[in-house]
Amino acid sequence: MRQHPSDGSAAEAGGGAGVGEPIDITPARDADRHPDRDWMPGGRWAEPAGDWAEPDAGQDPPPGAPNPAAQLRVPSRRRRIALGAALAVGVAGAAVLGTAGWRVMEQRDTTLTPPTSVAGLTRDVSGDAAETAEYLRTALAAGVDLDGTVAAVYTDPASRDRSVLFFGGTALLLSPGRELDGVLDLLNGEAGEVRDVREVPAGELGGVMRCGSVTAPEVTAPEGAMAVCGWADHGSVAVAMFPKRPVAESANLMRTLREQTQKR
């Protein structure tokens, strides 16, 4: 404890303290002060030597010195941006997977039942037509892994040369477009080749639908190539051939045939 030197004043000889007794004028140290600090004249504490001294709040570092706070803020901001981007990608991915999953569940349970008549055409069950339909059904079952297959031949009362040959099957198809391409490839052979395949509107039942033409001169001459259209979704795939019909007309007829054949 430091003592103020006596100067012989009345305060030193007055009441409340014995004569000659030193008076303690050292202020109590604050609990939060460093124990190594010394009381300096003028009523302030002297900062101890070394690295203990606290920096003033809000004081900027000297020019050129690193700023720890800024260095901490930059990674934090980058981390927040990265986490936000990852979250956005995750949400978008989940939405895409959810939509695709819902579409598969909606389309997987499908049945194909060729109607007895459609768009003015009549299903032909005579000997030759039944034999042709069975040939198409067997070829499809052998070429593509399906749970069930169907086939039918439809005649046009106005012209037997415009008969429609239809065949298709059902199964859980994860890649409808690829499955449709596989069925169209079955038509490639000595009799002709499918060319100029292009996307066309699939209609209300969705999925994918494509049309092209088969170059089979011995079948289609002199009118040219025979139109071919097919559809595929997650539950079914089917193709039909339309002799002596243009592609645009064949696409419309295929959508009508599908609406009356496919049930979910």
Side-chain angles (χ1 to χ4, degrees), residues 59-221:
Q59 183 178 0
D60 295 332
N67 190 338
Q71 293 176 354
L72 290 176
R73 284 196 300 270
V74 171
S76 298
R77 188 179 304 113
R78 291 175 179 171
R79 189 179 299 111
R80 287 195 298 271
I81 294 174
L83 291 176
L87 180 60
V89 171
V91 171
V96 171
L97 291 177
T99 302
W102 175 83
R103 187 179 299 113
V104 171
M105 296 301 296
E106 179 192 34
Q107 298 178 357
R108 63 177 299 176
D109 295 327
T110 298
T111 59
L112 297 180
T113 306
T116 57
S117 62
V118 54
L121 304 178
T122 302
R123 183 172 180 177
D124 190 349
V125 293
S126 64
D128 291 343
E131 184 178 348
T132 300
E134 180 61 20
Y135 171 80
L136 293 173
R137 190 196 67 78
T138 303
L140 176 62
V144 183
D145 186 13
L146 298 169
D147 296 335
T149 54
V150 297
V153 176
Y154 290 91
T155 60
D156 187 341
S159 175
R160 293 189 63 87
D161 293 340
R162 289 162 58 90
S163 297
V164 175
L165 288 70
F166 170 83
F167 57 99
T170 58
L172 175 59
L173 307 177
L174 298 181
S175 300
R178 185 170 60 187
E179 298 294 343
L180 177 56
D181 290 339
V183 176
L184 292 174
D185 285 341
L186 295 178
L187 301 179
N188 294 328
E190 296 181 359
E193 181 180 356
V194 180
R195 297 181 177 178
D196 301 325
V197 177
R198 55 188 179 275
E199 298 278 345
V200 297
E204 296 181 357
L205 291 173
V208 59
M209 185 171 172
R210 295 170 183 157
C211 290
S213 58
V214 176
T215 55
E218 64 276 13
V219 176
T220 60

